[in-house]
Amino acid sequence: MKNIIISVDGASSTGKSSLAKALAKHYRFKHIDSGAMYRALTFYSLNHKLIDKNHFDIDTLVSHLPTIEIDFSSDDYVMLNGKIIEHEVRSMEVSNYVSIVAKESLFRKFMVTKQRELGKRGNVVMDGRDIGSVVFPDSTIKFYIEASMEVRVKRRFLELTQKNVDISLTDVISNIENRDHIDSSRDDSPLVIPKNAIVLTNNEEGLSHLIEVAISKIDSLF
Ligand code: CDP
């Protein structure tokens, strides 16, 4: 039988990664956070001074691609050339540049190839922006997660302050708005509701309700 692929797409801070993680735990599937892969490439670009406020050296980053290995550890942490960088990729600096890196087709092709390869290794829950639309259009089941701006900002602000990141609400809002704009308006694989996706809203009923609804939809398939 073909691997089961559960795709979970949505904009930043809607709760899609938390849902994907919970579903992977429930079904004992692998969780692949595709956003962490784009973050890892952005982290690499920042470390090699290939991107800053004024420039992005796309050609040099393309020439480095054959030496860049992005993968996941056995407990689903993102790795860059064999080193776990799960904590580093969540920095505000990475968040501020990731959508600029992710909009380039050459880097998307690199990631999509890897994501499809990961999908062949076993049953997976993969979350991102283009999983149900581009990476796995034949996913076993597709979810698209929505949330109000208020819920999203609150989630991200709490997440960062719990990690002792010194951040203002204004910075969180502008990062989310900026990424929403770039991710939805880019030419290659913009954020869309995938065909046949089940749209779920993360609202005041909370994450556990969202998980329950998603599980009941998945169980009804089998
Ligand atoms: O965690 P958060 O929702 O803030 O974002 P993420 O899932 O970590 O993704 C970070 C960025 O990677 C997004 O803003 C997109 O620019 C890009 N991304 C993408 O283009 N395609 C994906 N499948 C996943 C992420």
Side-chain angles (χ1 to χ4, degrees), residues 12-13 16 34-35 38-39 90 98-99 102 108 128-131 156 179 183 186:
S12 168
S13 316
K16 64 186 185 321
S34 68
Y38 288 96
R39 286 174 174 273
R90 309 289 158 194
V98 63
S99 291
R108 300 203 69 79
R129 302 290 187 287
D130 61 343
I131 309 306
R156 187 49 47 104
R179 281 199 288 138
D183 295 345
R186 68 187 176 212

Side-chain angles (χ1 to χ4, degrees), residues 9-10 129-130 132-134 144 183-184 189-195 197:
D9 289 298
R129 302 290 187 287
D130 61 343
S133 58
V134 173
Y144 183 88
D183 295 345
S184 308
S189 322
L191 173 66
V192 289
I193 301 179
K195 202 169 154 227

Side-chain angles (χ1 to χ4, degrees), residues 34 42 89 93 111 149 157 172 178 196 204 214:
S34 68
T42 306
V89 298
E93 200 186 14
M111 296 300 178
M149 196 57 170
F157 186 68
V172 172
N178 193 25
N196 301 326
E204 54 290 333

Side-chain angles (χ1 to χ4, degrees), residues 140-162:
T140 317
I141 187 162
K142 303 178 189 182
F143 292 105
Y144 183 88
I145 312 304
E146 293 181 330
S148 68
M149 196 57 170
E150 199 189 334
V151 166
R152 295 169 63 197
V153 170
K154 216 157 129 188
R155 280 182 58 83
R156 187 49 47 104
F157 186 68
L158 263 178
E159 199 179 293
L160 290 166
T161 47
Q162 272 164 4

